[in-house]
Amino acid sequence: MQKEIFEQPIVVAQTLKSYLRPLEQKVALPQMDFSFADVPRITIVACGTSFYAGMVAKYWLEQFARVPVELDIASEFRYRQPVLEKGGMALFISQSGETADTLAALRHARAEGQKVAVVVNVPTSSMAREADLLLPTHAGPEIGVASTKAFTCQLAVLAALAAKVARDKGVMSEAEEREIVEHLTEAPAAMNAALAHDEEIEAMAPVIAAARDVLYLGRGPDYPMAMEGALKLKEISYIHAEGYAAGEMKHGPIALIDKDVPVIVIAPSGPLFDKTVSNMQEVQARGGKVVLISDAE
Ligand code: BG6
């Protein structure tokens, strides 16, 4: 798993190669023979870590492309008789391309007349074969059970997809597209810089390791990131963890906070920073230990 974590800058760069045209400063999807202009709604379905990547994509697609997005866990979607709009697109996200619930959900969506798009890491998988629009991640084999590099590669593809949908729908300017391409091009170097904090993270780990419960907080796209962080901790450390929308903490979970519950706050600089920091101060007022993940700014 550690090896796969450190592979992220390289495999994300590899993945982005198929989705960006750096000279023209444009996003481009492979095997694209249709426009997203007329897609009225997108339904995203996945399991586990791939589901959290899908939740980040919901924020991006709605913010950038102004397209309504529904999001579901595959094991719920396949049994809940979802109402799918004619002409809609269903997007399935999976590292393996074989997760039984996601595959069954894909077949259900197809039977309901949806255009099927798939973000998948294994190009020979069942989901890859059954896709109308195949969006591969190039993370290489992921052996660790807890997904790491496949997740960040999924995010890279989903960011490019959101920009492409936005452009096709005419709601993103060329200048905005250029800005996204620039940010995505910088992502591998930014990941390298984040990985350079390895020793500090290791030094801090005993604070978390001693805890019985850990809370992760984030806002906007960092809310699914908080849930993904909590999932990772549960899966790998057997420590109970919950990811919460930072603004929701006051509606219950704040009661759990004391000096024994570390709270990991994800708050990059930007419009939501001050709001999240005020939630962080509520945690500190209750004696909670805070680990803040932010940027230099
Ligand atoms: C779980 C794994 O069993 O399956 C998770 O532990 C993974 O890490 C999830 O995210 C979904 O898998 P996939 O291959 O469909 O992305």
Side-chain angles (χ1 to χ4, degrees):
M1 183 178 170
Q2 192 182 32
K3 174 180 160 285
E4 288 171 355
I5 287 171
F6 278 89
E7 280 170 20
Q8 287 178 103
I10 291 172
V11 294
V12 166
Q14 243 163 37
T15 299
L16 284 170
K17 253 192 201 165
S18 315
Y19 293 87
L20 302 181
R21 292 203 198 118
L23 290 180
E24 297 151 66
Q25 299 280 71
K26 288 196 167 305
V27 290
L29 303 191
Q31 303 186 1
M32 218 18 222
D33 59 359
F34 71 98
S35 158
F36 292 111
D38 303 323
V39 171
R41 172 177 293 274
I42 298 178
T43 305
I44 302 180
V45 183
C47 295
T49 292
S50 299
F51 172 77
Y52 293 132
M55 195 164 167
V56 174
K58 175 182 163 73
Y59 280 87
W60 288 341
L61 281 160
E62 292 191 338
Q63 185 190 339
F64 299 147
R66 309 303 302 148
V67 61
V69 175
E70 253 204 89
L71 173 76
D72 225 328
I73 294 167
S75 56
E76 286 300 311
F77 178 87
R78 66 182 283 202
Y79 298 116
R80 81 174 165 89
Q81 301 183 331
V83 180
L84 299 167
E85 197 170 336
K86 209 164 166 275
M89 184 174 104
L91 172 65
F92 300 87
I93 307 169
S94 176
Q95 188 285 124
S96 61
E98 301 295 348
T99 303
D101 281 325
T102 310
L103 187 57
L106 182 157
R107 288 173 179 161
H108 177 72
R110 174 177 297 293
E112 294 286 307
Q114 301 294 290
K115 198 170 256 304
V116 169
V118 171
V119 174
V120 69
N121 194 44
V122 180
T124 50
S125 60
S126 306
M127 285 182 220
R129 283 198 306 272
E130 295 187 28
D132 298 316
L133 174 62
L134 174 61
L135 301 170
T137 49
H138 301 293
E142 190 175 63
I143 308 300
V145 172
S147 185
T148 56
K149 61 175 181 169
F151 174 68
T152 37
C153 286
Q154 286 167 349
L155 293 179
V157 171
L158 292 165
L161 174 69
K164 178 75 175 121
V165 176
R167 287 291 288 155
D168 282 4
K169 285 198 169 283
V171 294
M172 179 180 273
S173 68
E174 269 184 40
E176 287 165 330
E177 181 182 17
R178 253 198 318 275
E179 203 183 326
I180 287 190
V181 172
E182 270 169 30
H183 286 319
L184 286 174
T185 310
E186 287 163 7
M191 295 178 107
N192 258 323
L195 290 170
H197 292 292
D198 194 33
E199 282 178 17
E200 291 148 84
I201 292 168
E202 202 175 327
M204 193 193 71
V207 175
I208 311 291
R212 220 182 66 168
D213 306 289
V214 176
L215 212 58
Y216 286 70
L217 300 178
R219 275 177 188 260
D222 291 308
Y223 164 40
M225 290 294 185
M227 290 196 284
E228 167 59 8
L231 175 65
K232 223 73 310 168
L233 196 69
K234 283 184 266 208
E235 212 172 359
I236 294 305
S237 314
Y238 309 127
I239 296 172
H240 168 246
E242 296 292 336
Y244 252 91
E248 188 66 7
M249 192 191 55
K250 58 180 165 290
H251 301 296
I254 186 113
L256 294 171
I257 307 289
D258 63 22
K259 62 175 185 14
D260 299 321
V261 180
V263 180
I264 301 179
V265 180
I266 309 168
S269 55
L272 301 175
F273 180 78
D274 289 342
K275 287 245 156 220
T276 311
V277 166
S278 88
N279 302 128
M280 187 176 101
Q281 285 159 346
E282 289 160 14
V283 168
Q284 288 171 318
R286 290 188 158 243
K289 286 190 205 107
V290 170
V291 174
L292 174 65
I293 301 177
S294 190
D295 49 77
E297 199 182 316

